[in-house]
Amino acid sequence: MPEKGWQDRIKGLLKAELKRRNVSYRGLAEKLAEFGIQETETNIKNKISRGGFTAVFFVQCLVAIGCSTLRLEDS
């Protein structure tokens, strides 16, 4: 799979977890702030839209929204 495909897959996983928990980008920014991670709603939107964020950001988001398991399904 080309890199763009991987980025789209990871972006989709994060967006799905946010949707599943009914967490907006603003809500995510607030939850990240509780962990001392300062991200604006706009910055989060841009990072997720591009799909080129770090693994650290990905895990920070998952922990902030209370996602302790992530199912990776075959395409």
Side-chain angles (χ1 to χ4, degrees):
M1 182 181 322
E3 179 136 351
K4 176 73 171 117
W6 285 108
Q7 288 175 342
D8 289 345
R9 185 171 181 189
I10 297 302
K11 172 175 59 173
L13 288 170
L14 181 53
K15 289 174 83 171
E17 292 302 323
L18 290 169
K19 185 173 184 175
R20 186 171 289 116
R21 289 166 175 76
N22 198 31
V23 177
S24 66
Y25 293 145
R26 175 176 288 160
L28 177 58
E30 292 168 358
K31 290 178 181 296
L32 287 169
E34 293 174 14
F35 288 92
I37 302 161
Q38 300 303 313
E39 293 281 354
T40 65
E41 177 183 0
T42 302
N43 194 32
I44 289 170
K45 181 179 179 180
N46 289 337
K47 281 183 177 186
I48 294 174
S49 176
R50 282 192 316 265
F53 44 81
T54 66
V56 169
F57 176 76
F58 181 64
V59 173
Q60 287 172 333
C61 291
L62 294 176
V63 169
I65 63 173
C67 181
S68 59
T69 60
L70 186 64
R71 183 175 171 94
L72 304 175
E73 297 184 7
D74 292 336
S75 300

